[in-house]
Amino acid sequence: MATIMTPIRISVLMTAYNRERYIAEAIESVLVQDYPHFELIIVDDGSKDNTVEIAQGYSGRDTRVRLFRNESNLGDYPNRNKAASYATGDLLMYVDSDDSILPDALSYIISQFQLNPHAGYATIYKGQIFQPPLVLSSEEAVRTHLFRESFLHIGPGGTVIRRNLFQKLGGFPEKYGPANDMHYNIYTACHTPVLLLAYNYLNYREHEGQEKNNSFGYLYNTYLYFSDLMQLPELPLTDEERSYHIRKCKRRYLVNSLKFLRKSKSLPKMLESGRLAGFGFRDILTAIFQR
């Protein structure tokens, strides 16, 4: 008697805040998928426009859509973790409420996880070194990112993770502002083989209301997340390699601070960033003189 493979169920997570202009397109791109075994979880974070009303229209006529509303505004990454807490699928993926995905996105993702059951995490790969689809060991993925090609930097919409692994790792960190995903990607890669996806199924929309435009938040949070990352015992680096990257991080922060000052013309904001980053005079000396 032939064995019947249980279909992999995927939870598509959509967080929203004042996205009335885009959310209908985002929802519809999920509902027309050619893979049927999914749920769409929408979590509104206190929108003041018609985002909720639009989402309610879809949840009211399609049982695959589940809509939740937060009692108070949680913010971007706390809300992403909140959305994941409602999920029941084997895999988790995010489709942001201002983005959309191609109609065969889910069937492609599922097929790759079926072919590579030992991979716990996947990312769209746009680099030059590898020919995906391909699974990298945890160590190979992390060391490639840190020494050869920085590829573990895509936002949540470009990654997929097994739900049990997401839960085990505690989801997204919530203390690095817009850089939470950058820490999450590398931290996750430390704990599982990484599946590189050859197909860019994500239609990523750029507009003024995105957190990616928060240059001040990125300035100090990028320094903080990377400094903390270098302290992780599971990071597959020697002490000498960690020291090298810490020095490099300090130099990068100093250079980026000067770029921020030149663009913003705000010395107080640059100094505030240094205070928030804990970047002092000794760090400046390290950045300038140590190689």
Side-chain angles (χ1 to χ4, degrees):
M1 185 175 181
T3 301
I4 299 176
M5 182 178 293
T6 302
I8 297 177
R9 183 169 167 79
I10 186 166
S11 296
V12 181
L13 310 177
M14 184 177 294
T15 55
Y17 179 72
N18 291 345
R19 288 291 187 254
E20 65 177 5
R21 292 178 57 189
Y22 311 118
I23 193 169
E25 181 181 348
I27 294 172
E28 289 174 9
S29 76
V30 177
L31 298 183
V32 299
Q33 291 296 304
D34 60 7
Y35 184 81
H37 306 291
F38 72 87
E39 61 179 352
L40 172 58
I41 296 171
I42 305 172
V43 184
D44 182 77
D45 204 22
S47 293
K48 303 296 191 295
D49 60 6
N50 293 318
T51 297
V52 171
E53 288 74 15
I54 295 170
Q56 283 176 330
Y58 288 96
S59 64
R61 58 180 179 266
D62 195 319
T63 57
R64 297 173 297 178
V65 182
R66 301 166 60 199
L67 173 63
F68 301 88
R69 302 177 66 181
N70 295 334
E71 294 182 0
S72 59
N73 182 271
L74 300 180
D76 188 5
Y77 285 91
N79 197 30
R80 292 185 187 278
N81 287 333
K82 185 73 170 180
S85 73
Y86 297 120
T88 63
D90 305 295
L91 298 176
L92 304 179
M93 69 175 291
Y94 288 87
V95 176
D96 286 352
S97 50
D98 51 358
D99 294 336
S100 62
I101 54 176
L102 298 179
D104 56 350
L106 299 191
S107 58
Y108 171 77
I109 290 167
I110 294 298
S111 69
Q112 294 307 309
F113 271 95
Q114 287 175 328
L115 290 171
N116 303 281
H118 58 300
Y121 172 76
T123 179
I124 294 174
Y125 177 74
K126 303 177 184 179
Q128 303 298 321
I129 296 178
F130 303 108
Q131 292 296 318
L134 175 71
V135 177
L136 302 179
S137 70
S138 176
E139 181 172 355
E140 185 178 12
V142 173
R143 293 186 65 85
T144 296
H145 175 77
L146 292 176
F147 292 104
R148 298 180 63 196
E149 180 183 59
S150 177
F151 73 96
L152 292 171
H153 53 63
I154 197 166
T159 65
V160 186
I161 190 170
R162 296 191 188 275
R163 181 165 63 96
N164 57 0
L165 178 61
F166 186 89
Q167 293 171 335
K168 177 182 176 182
L169 299 181
F172 286 99
E174 299 178 1
K175 62 180 181 178
Y176 304 115
N180 281 313
D181 56 345
M182 299 165 77
H183 185 283
Y184 166 84
N185 290 343
I186 302 173
Y187 180 68
T188 301
C190 288
H191 294 86
T192 182
V194 177
L195 171 61
L196 304 184
L197 301 176
Y199 181 31
N200 184 12
Y201 51 80
L202 174 65
N203 292 317
Y204 177 73
R205 189 193 305 271
E206 296 191 28
H207 57 89
E208 293 182 354
Q210 290 173 303
E211 187 68 10
K212 67 173 286 186
N213 299 315
N214 181 2
S215 59
F216 177 71
Y218 267 115
L219 180 59
Y220 67 88
N221 278 301
T222 298
Y223 176 79
L224 286 173
Y225 101 77
F226 197 83
S227 298
D228 287 352
L229 197 69
M230 287 299 113
Q231 308 305 317
L232 294 177
E234 57 265 59
L235 199 68
L237 299 181
T238 65
D239 289 343
E240 183 178 350
E241 289 170 335
R242 290 171 190 264
S243 296
Y244 162 78
H245 277 289
I246 290 171
R247 295 193 301 272
K248 184 177 177 181
C249 180
K250 293 182 188 298
R251 289 195 296 274
R252 182 168 55 239
Y253 175 77
L254 182 59
V255 170
N256 288 340
S257 293
L258 295 173
K259 289 181 179 178
F260 176 83
L261 175 62
R262 184 173 59 188
K263 185 175 181 179
S264 68
K265 305 293 193 295
S266 176
L267 180 60
K269 290 288 285 184
M270 188 194 77
L271 295 176
E272 175 67 3
S273 171
R275 185 190 68 80
L276 293 170
F279 193 85
F281 183 69
R282 225 176 246 188
D283 298 307
I284 294 175
L285 294 178
T286 300
I288 295 174
F289 296 110
Q290 292 192 21
R291 299 296 173 185

